[in-house]
Amino acid sequence: MSRTDRTSIYEIRDERFRTGRCANGDERLERLHEESRWAEGPVYLPAWRQLIWSDIPNDRMLRWDEATGTVGLFRSPAGHSNGNTLDREGRLISCEQGNRRVTRTEPDGTTTVLADRFDGKRLNSPNDAVVHSDGSVWFSDPTFGITSDYEGHRAEPEIGACNVYRVDPASGEVRPAADGFGGPNGLVFSPDERQLYVSDTVAGHIRVFDVRDDGTLDGGTVFAEAKDEARFDNIRFDDEGRLWVAAMYGGVHCYDPDGTLIGRILVPEAVSNVAFGGPKNNRMFITATTTLYSLVVSVTGAPRIRRA
């Protein structure tokens, strides 16, 4: 393991980044692994003190062990998996771009397909997923995995749109929850689950929707817009309602609940994803191009698994 040579990795844009203790963590990024081709989808498994992430072009999932610092192969082939998350029982939910489906890994290691079609047509290439406390699985479905053979398999889209979908926990029904996206990517519920935030990499913004009691969405106003070198990928909340955004060449952005960009974490590679983990949920893991980074921060991630 090694550390970057930056004298400071924090860029303060607003005093709230300082007063909120967002810049009081490690002053160096720690490199945990440097041999991915394009790293995405980190998720921390508390029971095992391990982090799993996707190396999409190499069609594999890797596993970093916190106790030993070792990295090993978790799954290959992996369906060119992208985003990963956990459900209420701590089972792994994965978006498989190459297989054009969303799966759940059972305790015995077998996989269950949660979604692969809508209205009889194959999904595009599921990208990221999040689980509601009612057990429903929500996922984004851009065309990134079918535009070439680099991150999946080149194919023509069958649905003709890039939507966000909800999988009903009782019936397994897959239905669109929101549409009108250029390339929906990262998604996350607000800490109280009253809103769903969705990043759109193609449109260059993050939209926020109100979540109705019946599982449908309303609204879709723009929360933040990407500027300069930034391109929005996945998004995660801390427990004080700040939104942390993987912004490619813009590093990791931090937004106040009012939508103000208050600071950044500077990273020497294009940032694809961020995730909170560690025993205290205050270790930030960052996948950036070929590398898995981490740093212990002075904020705490939102609760990992919510109960109904």
Side-chain angles (χ1 to χ4, degrees), residues 106-308:
E106 307 296 349
D108 63 0
T110 60
T111 57
T112 298
V113 177
L114 301 181
D116 62 357
R117 295 177 183 271
F118 166 66
D119 198 24
K121 300 175 182 179
R122 295 190 70 186
L123 298 171
N124 297 323
S125 55
N127 186 284
D128 196 17
V130 65
V131 179
H132 192 275
S133 62
D134 66 5
S136 58
V137 177
W138 303 60
F139 65 93
S140 56
D141 188 39
T143 58
F144 304 151
I146 59 175
T147 56
S148 74
D149 291 321
Y150 186 71
E151 293 189 356
H153 305 289
R154 186 169 62 179
E156 291 297 321
E158 297 182 14
I159 295 175
C162 297
N163 301 321
V164 169
Y165 294 90
R166 178 184 185 270
V167 183
D168 187 84
S171 67
E173 177 191 11
V174 179
R175 61 171 174 79
D179 56 18
F181 300 98
N185 198 322
L187 65 169
V188 66
F189 287 108
S190 59
D192 61 8
E193 293 191 323
R194 294 179 180 176
Q195 296 174 312
L196 178 71
Y197 289 70
V198 182
S199 71
D200 190 327
T201 304
V202 174
H205 56 224
I206 297 169
R207 295 168 64 188
V208 55
F209 299 84
D210 293 324
V211 182
R212 299 191 183 103
D213 291 340
D214 63 359
T216 59
L217 299 178
D218 186 33
T221 59
V222 173
F223 172 77
E225 294 186 354
K227 298 179 180 179
D228 302 323
E229 74 275 27
R231 291 179 60 205
F232 292 153
D233 203 301
N234 96 312
I235 47 182
R236 291 291 181 264
F237 273 105
D238 66 26
D239 66 355
E240 295 187 14
R242 291 174 292 249
L243 187 67
W244 297 80
V245 181
M248 294 291 188
Y249 296 103
V252 178
H253 287 193
C254 179
Y255 289 89
D256 187 78
D258 69 4
T260 303
L261 174 61
I262 60 174
R264 296 195 302 164
I265 296 176
L266 305 176
V267 181
E269 298 178 80
V271 176
S272 61
N273 276 201
V274 297
F276 287 98
K280 297 181 179 180
N281 207 25
N282 68 336
R283 187 169 190 169
M284 181 179 288
F285 295 94
I286 302 171
T287 51
T289 313
T290 63
T291 307
L292 172 67
Y293 296 95
S294 83
L295 70 160
V296 177
V297 292
S298 50
V299 300
T300 303
R304 287 179 280 232
I305 301 174
R306 301 178 181 87
R307 304 293 180 182

Side-chain angles (χ1 to χ4, degrees), residues 48-49 64-70:
W48 306 105
R49 290 188 62 193
W64 172 79
D65 184 87
E66 190 170 28
T68 64
T70 58

